Amino acid sequence: TSLTLETEAKRGLTTTTRRRRRRGGASERRQGVGREDRGRMGTMTDPDTALAAIKAAGDDFQSLYEAIKKAEFLDATPGDSRQAYRAAKSKLKKILLAQKKKAEEDAKKGIVTKNYDVGKYWPQLKDTWESLRWRLKSMPGGATKKPDAFYDLYGFFQQATEGDNTGEQPVWAETGGLDFEGRSRWEAWNKTKGMSSEVAKKKFVATYFQMDPKANLYNDNRIKE
């Protein structure tokens, strides 16, 4: 993340923006240009669209940062939209702090955090991840479950390809026992609700390469970086 991004995020993306908005607003008032006119000029002015973009960004720093920048107009009007906007800014700062803390911890352990080329890896991984040699955990009634990493990948994959989960949560398996597999898949997909396809693909690729192979696979037959 660039220094500029970090600096703006720490400051809450406010000081410079407010100064620009005050200067721009005063200039527009002098020229007789109102909020509706700015909308016709192409500036985003629809709160629902702006908040949907923020929600779709999830906890991906770059996507959330860009969505917040486009939604700056929400800070000018009191109400639920402004509260949601400010909550998103607080979330962005928390993500930044968490990223910095993790980077420091990883550096001590000699771990290098990577940014994966989603355009390169997504086409390679989307049709092969499910056939990896996943470990199985025994559950009551003779059922089995895969590791959490499998269901994380499933959730991101479904969100990237199908969008939000709209199905009912399964309860019973065909064998008559609890459907542990179906419930785990449903819950993992449902956790990604509102996330954009772009962010879901990024998280899918990162999870694929960063998961612990010993804890999740009988043997590591993943596609190599």
Side-chain angles (χ1 to χ4, degrees):
T1 306
S2 69
L3 181 60
T4 301
L5 286 177
E6 289 192 12
T7 303
E8 285 198 88
K10 289 178 180 176
R11 293 175 179 171
L13 308 177
T14 57
T15 305
T16 302
T17 299
R18 285 174 179 169
R19 288 173 181 167
R20 283 200 301 263
R21 186 160 53 234
R22 284 197 294 267
R23 289 197 297 267
S27 175
E28 288 178 356
R29 284 192 295 273
R30 286 193 296 270
Q31 297 173 26
V33 179
R35 186 173 287 112
E36 292 182 2
D37 297 305
R38 290 198 299 274
R40 287 193 290 269
M41 292 178 194
T43 302
M44 180 188 290
T45 58
D46 177 36
D48 291 339
T49 300
L51 293 176
I54 287 174
K55 183 179 180 181
D59 59 359
D60 181 74
F61 179 86
Q62 186 63 36
S63 298
L64 182 58
Y65 170 81
E66 292 172 358
I68 287 173
K69 290 291 288 181
K70 293 178 181 178
E72 288 174 341
F73 69 94
L74 294 176
D75 203 33
T77 306
D80 293 341
S81 295
R82 183 166 75 174
Q83 290 181 0
Y85 167 76
R86 291 182 173 180
K89 290 200 302 182
S90 297
K91 178 181 178 181
L92 183 70
K93 287 190 287 185
K94 290 179 181 179
I95 292 173
L96 177 64
L97 292 174
Q99 286 183 347
K100 292 189 68 175
K101 182 179 179 180
K102 185 177 186 303
E104 292 170 357
E105 293 174 349
D106 288 348
K108 292 178 182 178
K109 299 175 183 178
I111 300 173
V112 179
T113 302
K114 298 182 179 179
N115 291 319
Y116 299 97
D117 185 344
V118 177
K120 173 184 176 182
Y121 290 117
W122 170 258
Q124 299 179 39
L125 306 180
K126 65 183 181 69
D127 296 324
T128 60
W129 69 275
E130 203 164 1
S131 61
L132 296 175
R133 295 205 60 213
W134 295 98
R135 290 185 178 275
L136 296 175
K137 177 183 178 181
S138 296
M139 303 299 289
T144 59
K145 270 186 63 177
K146 299 180 184 68
D148 289 343
F150 174 89
Y151 302 109
D152 290 340
L153 286 171
Y154 175 83
F156 294 136
F157 177 83
Q158 290 296 107
Q159 189 69 18
T161 56
E162 302 291 337
D164 288 347
N165 181 1
T166 58
E168 294 185 3
Q169 185 178 27
V171 179
W172 304 107
E174 293 181 358
T175 57
L178 287 173
D179 188 359
F180 295 103
E181 177 71 13
R183 287 171 66 88
S184 296
R185 287 176 181 250
W186 187 93
E187 289 170 357
W189 185 6
N190 203 54
K191 285 193 301 185
T192 66
K193 183 169 291 185
M195 186 180 293
S196 69
S197 177
E198 178 185 2
V199 172
K201 288 179 181 179
K202 288 172 65 175
K203 289 185 171 294
F204 175 92
V205 172
T207 300
Y208 181 93
F209 286 118
Q210 293 174 5
M211 68 177 176
D212 183 354
K214 292 183 179 180
N216 293 291
L217 305 171
Y218 286 117
N219 66 285
D220 190 0
N221 59 333
R222 291 175 298 172
I223 292 174
K224 304 305 178 184
E225 297 181 50

